[in-house]
Amino acid sequence: MVQRIYVGNLDPRCSKEELTDECGRYGRLVDVWVARNPPGFAFVTFEDVRDAEDCLHALNGNMLGGTRVKIEMARNQGGRMAGPQGAGFDRGG
């Protein structure tokens, strides 16, 4: 089951490739989307929820680029978990 994580406080200079490399250490990625206007956040979708959890625990509060990132399980606007069980992939967070 796929799971999306929210990466907040992301250095605006952080590239999609850098985030893909960093998060890809924890499992197979389905998608990486880095916001540019406004910058400072991203969504990373993992193929397996356990890999997303591993990434969250490993990287949350750590330095990525020039800032300390905040990582959370992504939620849809209604507050449900993002992914098939939460009715889809709304990039609005």
Side-chain angles (χ1 to χ4, degrees):
M1 176 171 13
V2 297
Q3 177 62 53
R4 199 167 48 142
I5 61 170
Y6 165 82
V7 181
N9 197 38
L10 186 64
D11 186 330
R13 298 168 296 182
C14 184
S15 68
K16 178 179 179 177
E17 291 76 20
E18 183 179 358
L19 191 59
T20 299
D21 289 346
E22 198 65 40
C23 293
R25 297 178 187 184
Y26 302 97
R28 185 171 295 180
L29 304 179
V30 175
D31 185 42
V32 176
W33 182 81
V34 178
R36 292 293 171 217
N37 190 20
F41 69 97
F43 289 101
V44 179
T45 306
F46 284 85
E47 193 173 273
D48 189 296
V49 66
R50 293 168 296 186
D51 296 335
E53 290 168 348
D54 289 346
C55 182
L56 182 151
H57 294 300
L59 296 182
N60 188 36
N62 288 330
M63 297 295 286
L64 184 58
T67 61
R68 194 169 301 277
V69 294
K70 177 179 181 181
I71 300 180
E72 303 173 346
M73 290 296 181
R75 297 187 179 275
N76 287 331
Q77 288 180 344
R80 297 178 308 234
M81 295 303 288
Q85 72 280 13
F89 290 88
D90 176 21
R91 287 191 171 159

